[in-house]
Amino acid sequence: MSDQHFETLAIHAGQPADAQTGAVVTPIYQVSTYKQDGVGGLRGGYEYSRSANPTRTALEANLAALEGGSRGLAFASGLAAEDCLLRTVLAPGDHVVIPNDAYGGTFRLFAKVVERWGVTWSVADTSDVQAVRDAVRPETKLIWVETPSNPLLGVSDIAALAGVARQAGVRLVVDNTFASPYLQQPLALGADVVVHSTTKYMGGHSDVVGGALVTSDAGLGEELAYHQNAMGAVAGPFDAWLVMRGIKTLAVRMDRHSANATRVAHLLSAHPKVTQVYYPGLPEHPGHEVAAKQMKAFGGMVSFRVDGGEEAAVAVCDRAKLFTLGESLGGVESLIEHPGRMTHASVAGSALEVPADLVRLSVGIEAVDDLLADLSQALA
Ligand code: PLP
């Protein structure tokens, strides 16, 4: 592993100046195939861009460096990354422990897609280490964790869960989308695989959909790369380039997201129309101590419940002006949404159902006073 600091790796890892032109930014190799010098004579190892593409290779090397892994793989979306991982490591008859708070699409992948192929799953509160230990069965192959979780900002102790996984001989997967590798490094804490929706903080500008897997297990990395090519949901060159460009400023963005979100969480905590605030940076958050131990700062996501129920929560979303009403998160601009009707509609009626009066914020990097003023008027 490199001894350079995160901010330096974010800008340089996997991206030497272009050998032919000296371009300081990795070019977008918008190409599907490569001239061979005689049959099988590959220049630089490239033969077809589903298998490998130089722009994607640069991103994949960068992702591996930032997460402290040996292998990074870039996909067309976060769910494509998850799908590749599940179909690489699971077989009919296997069981997976999934969290009681997770992105709705992740739950849907387990409950509506993977289950049909004979994989069973059960839900555990992953913030409770004993609950996860109890949920593991002889046929369990994976423990899946999102921390902080979407949308309730639950915090799970990665090092403790890695211990549970090791003892049980199963793999620990951590969805690191909310934290990003700048704030949290799951592989160093013992996780086997890190998952990202690079659509979010890694891309950072709401202009690309992408996903990633990173592992420090060389054998698993090979198997994942084999399946990435065999299944084909790769990141295209322009999308890979956009994610790489976003990552260069990840550290400064995450510092600002975290600072702004802290101010927003405090405003909401003191507001008479708000009944509960979910932000791991608040000392009263049940996962605050664990978050302080495993995260550098607490990130840009804040959720809260509104006095007056679902209609009141929806009204707050409608009244916000600077916070744009929309799905997704992690961009420079602030977003607001109603998880029950939007991002988490697919968990309705399940163990992952979210409160109807919940509002989720992706706090952007605008001037914080403008954000506070907009929330105050939306809640008034
Ligand atoms: N993981 C988390 C925590 C997410 O929030 C999302 C999307 O919102 C995903 C995974 C799926 O990523 P994508 O939308 O890029 O497929």
Side-chain angles (χ1 to χ4, degrees), residues 25-213:
V25 172
T26 301
I28 303 167
Y29 285 89
Q30 195 67 43
V31 60
S32 61
T33 193
Y34 305 80
K35 180 180 188 306
Q36 303 194 5
D37 295 328
V39 174
L42 306 182
R43 308 172 181 190
Y46 295 98
E47 62 179 336
Y48 183 60
S49 280
R50 169 166 35 73
S51 312
N53 169 282
T55 314
R56 197 176 92 223
T57 300
L59 170 61
E60 292 179 334
N62 186 263
L63 291 165
L66 296 191
E67 287 287 2
S70 59
R71 189 81 186 239
L73 298 159
F75 293 85
S77 70
L79 282 176
E82 295 182 18
D83 181 38
C84 179
L85 172 61
L86 297 182
R87 284 202 272 162
T88 301
V89 300
L90 298 176
D94 291 343
H95 169 259
V96 184
V97 178
I98 63 171
N100 64 349
D101 185 36
Y103 171 56
T106 298
F107 174 72
R108 184 176 55 205
L109 183 62
F110 282 108
K112 304 282 187 211
V113 181
V114 177
E115 189 182 88
R116 287 178 44 228
W117 299 96
V119 171
T120 58
W121 51 273
S122 57
V123 174
D125 174 0
T126 55
S127 68
D128 177 347
V129 176
Q130 189 56 43
V132 175
R133 196 176 283 119
D134 293 344
V136 173
R137 304 173 184 174
E139 66 272 23
T140 302
K141 287 290 182 327
L142 285 185
I143 299 171
W144 190 282
V145 170
E146 235 183 71
T147 183
S149 63
N150 183 1
L152 292 173
L153 284 305
V155 171
S156 300
D157 187 331
I158 298 171
L161 292 177
V164 172
R166 239 188 337 269
Q167 211 173 19
V170 310
R171 286 189 168 115
L172 177 67
V173 179
V174 176
D175 185 331
N176 204 24
T177 298
F178 267 34
S180 89
Y182 177 63
L183 298 184
Q184 179 171 277
Q185 305 249 306
L187 298 180
L189 295 169
D192 297 286
V193 184
V194 169
V195 174
H196 277 284
S197 169
T198 54
T199 315
K200 311 298 177 350
Y201 289 105
M202 305 289 259
H205 296 75
S206 304
D207 54 10
V208 63
V209 171
L213 298 174

Side-chain angles (χ1 to χ4, degrees), residues 2 9 29 98 103 126 135 137 153-154 172 192 225 240 243 246 261 311 318 335-336 357 364 377 379:
S2 166
L9 292 172
Y29 285 89
I98 63 171
Y103 171 56
T126 55
R137 304 173 184 174
L153 284 305
L172 177 67
D192 297 286
V243 173
E311 293 311 320
D318 288 342
L335 298 176
I336 190 167
D357 56 3
Q377 71 77 24
L379 282 160

